[in-house]
Amino acid sequence: MNKVLLHCRPGFEKECAAEIQDRAAELEVYGYPRLERDSGFVLFECYQEGDAERLIQTLPLAHLIFARSWFAVLAELSEMDPADRVASVLAHSDALPKCGKLWVESGDGDAYRSLLTFCRKFTVPLRQALRQAGLLTKTEKEQMPRMHLFLTDNQNGYLGYSRSDNGAAHFMGIERLKFPSEAPSRSTLKLDEAINLFLTPEQQASRMQSGMWAVDLGACPGGWTYQLVRRGLFVHAVDNGPMADSLMESGQVTHHMADGFKFEPPRKNVTWLVCDMVEKPDRVAQLMAAWLVRGWASQAIFNLKLPMKQRYVSVYESLNLLTEILHSAGVEFELQAKHLYHDREEITVYLHRRR
Ligand SMILES: C[S@@+](CC[C@H](N)C(=O)[O-])C[C@H]1O[C@@H](n2cnc3c(N)ncnc32)[C@H](O)[C@@H]1O
């Protein structure tokens, strides 16, 4: 077996495949992707023995925008005996490293709903058998490899592992967040997910502190502003539309009915810039770069909307444009981008200006 299985949002397999092929080639790992439209996963088959494991070790998962989670495939399970699927998994025990956690998973989306129910049920006897066989620790250990069994139906699938230091933090790379009933829009979950993904708890404590100022461009009705207010920040909310009364009553929000492309912060005390305006991605990328170059903000989280076609190319063009502007202005920065679970036709970017 010399494959990596990557999870992505169903419908984005082409982007996920193009990206893994390009990023792997940069590390001189060559191979070809196999995909099925709307399946929610891609298999990247490496040519050289050992390259799948090398890839999940050397390529940071955080550098992939369209992959939510991944693992190196060690065995393909086909036509498992429905009377004893556990035995089919245990038959490959020689190939598996000892793991600290087991994830029996599948694709995301409605088509997989009943299969995911099966995955959940099957996890219980499989976990028990793996523990008895010494392949899984008695209690879950976060710092050890994670065993993945990805089922394509209830008799077929792929078995492998991911590294705890370079793998998804959540089952299938999806952070399940509860919608806060007081939030004015569902897009609040996008910013919540982005903050949790891009910033470690320690970074959240130091980089997003209560009392800091933020600017929210395209803020109405206030789902993103809500996340900032909840964390104790003061917000300049910029939008011609109305903001939710509950947010205005917090005393932490100043509403500016203005164009986000022309707005200038009234004082030079802004740390955070967030932006969810529905606009051309290169325009947004240029705007975000301009704020960092001028020193109007030192950190930003923003969306880049995806076009109907050439989504992969368009994303990298916008990010390259952003990078070029910052480099030529001598700005040192850290950039991460992800197609979040709560994103649809957009990706989310985190930008941090280094001192
Ligand atoms: C997707 S909504 C934002 C939702 C918001 N983040 C939330 O969580 O509630 C996009 C918003 O961008 C605003 N918008 C679009 N172009 C804008 C511009 N040039 N200046 C300011 N706001 C703009 C729209 O009025 C709209 O309210």
Side-chain angles (χ1 to χ4, degrees):
M1 283 296 123
N2 204 15
K3 300 177 186 136
V4 176
L5 188 149
L6 303 103
H7 291 258
C8 64
R9 184 181 187 88
F12 287 81
E13 298 79 15
K14 256 170 60 185
E15 287 72 18
C16 183
E19 186 177 44
I20 186 63
Q21 193 157 25
D22 286 354
R23 298 291 83 74
E26 286 164 6
L27 296 171
E28 297 181 353
V29 171
Y30 301 105
Y32 62 95
R34 283 201 284 135
L35 61 98
E36 208 176 294
R37 220 187 122 92
D38 294 327
S39 64
F41 74 100
V42 169
L43 279 167
F44 183 66
E45 196 131 2
C46 305
Y47 292 124
Q48 199 155 324
E49 205 43 54
D51 268 1
E53 289 181 74
R54 189 156 79 84
L55 201 54
I56 64 157
Q57 182 175 2
T58 49
L59 173 64
L61 177 62
H63 288 189
L64 295 173
I65 298 172
F66 292 97
R68 292 174 173 171
S69 174
W70 67 354
F71 65 93
V73 176
L74 297 178
E76 198 163 337
L77 306 179
S78 44
E79 303 303 320
M80 280 186 276
D81 176 4
D84 196 358
R85 292 181 182 85
V86 168
S88 311
V89 177
L90 290 180
H92 298 281
S93 57
D94 287 352
L96 288 163
K98 182 156 184 172
C99 292
K101 188 183 268 200
L102 168 69
W103 278 335
V104 183
E105 51 197 19
S106 187
D108 172 34
D110 289 345
Y112 289 103
R113 207 168 291 271
S114 62
L115 186 55
L116 280 169
T117 306
F118 173 77
C119 289
R120 222 177 10 254
K121 286 187 188 148
F122 183 48
T123 303
V124 181
L126 181 60
R127 190 192 285 130
Q128 200 179 3
L130 288 166
R131 281 183 175 156
Q132 271 167 12
L135 291 167
L136 201 62
T137 52
K138 294 269 179 270
T139 54
E140 287 202 345
K141 295 268 185 290
E142 291 298 331
Q143 308 303 325
M144 289 184 69
R146 286 87 56 96
M147 196 182 298
H148 295 246
L149 173 61
F150 182 101
L151 295 179
T152 48
D153 60 40
N154 64 14
Q155 276 184 277
N156 297 282
Y158 301 93
L159 179 68
Y161 77 97
S162 66
R163 299 172 58 95
S164 61
D165 60 356
N166 193 25
H170 304 281
F171 178 68
M172 289 169 48
I174 298 173
E175 185 180 12
R176 301 274 169 193
L177 293 166
K178 198 170 168 285
F179 175 68
S181 55
E182 333 78 80
S185 71
R186 283 206 72 79
S187 47
T188 197
L189 296 177
K190 270 192 274 185
L191 187 59
D192 203 15
E193 185 185 355
I195 293 168
N196 291 341
L197 178 77
F198 295 134
L199 300 165
T200 62
E202 297 73 33
Q203 287 170 334
Q204 287 183 39
S206 65
R207 296 183 184 182
M208 193 171 254
Q209 288 175 12
S210 172
M212 282 178 172
W213 275 89
V215 169
D216 183 355
L217 302 178
C220 157
W224 285 31
T225 293
Y226 169 84
Q227 290 298 334
L228 300 167
V229 165
R230 185 170 84 75
R231 289 169 169 84
L233 279 77
F234 291 93
V235 185
H236 293 292
V238 183
D239 202 306
N240 278 320
M243 291 293 287
D245 291 341
S246 55
L247 286 171
M248 298 313 297
E249 284 158 12
S250 70
Q252 287 167 246
V253 182
T254 313
H255 185 191
H256 303 261
M257 289 204 169
D259 180 352
F261 285 91
K262 297 193 182 130
F263 178 79
E264 289 188 20
R267 286 177 56 204
K268 302 281 173 280
N269 61 352
V270 173
T271 306
W272 276 93
L273 172 65
V274 299
C275 173
D276 190 21
M277 292 190 288
V278 181
E279 251 300 339
K280 288 206 177 73
D282 51 351
R283 251 197 115 194
V284 172
Q286 282 172 347
L287 181 69
M288 298 298 108
W291 272 68
L292 258 74
V293 168
R294 291 178 192 135
W296 287 358
S298 55
Q299 299 184 81
I301 291 182
F302 55 96
N303 276 165
L304 293 178
K305 307 290 171 193
L306 298 169
M308 299 283 278
K309 288 186 179 154
Q310 301 276 322
R311 297 185 292 203
Y312 171 68
V313 173
S314 153
V315 160
Y316 275 86
E317 274 174 5
S318 298
L319 293 178
N320 288 342
L321 175 67
L322 175 79
T323 304
E324 273 166 32
I325 299 172
L326 294 172
H327 277 154
S328 55
V331 173
E332 285 188 35
F333 62 95
E334 167 194 330
L335 185 149
Q336 283 187 65
K338 205 66 161 180
H339 192 206
L340 301 175
Y341 173 65
H342 293 96
D343 282 338
R344 288 172 187 270
E345 295 296 324
E346 70 230 322
I347 62 154
T348 303
V349 185
Y350 170 59
L351 196 54
H352 175 241
R353 187 184 167 131
R354 294 207 188 97
R355 275 164 208 270

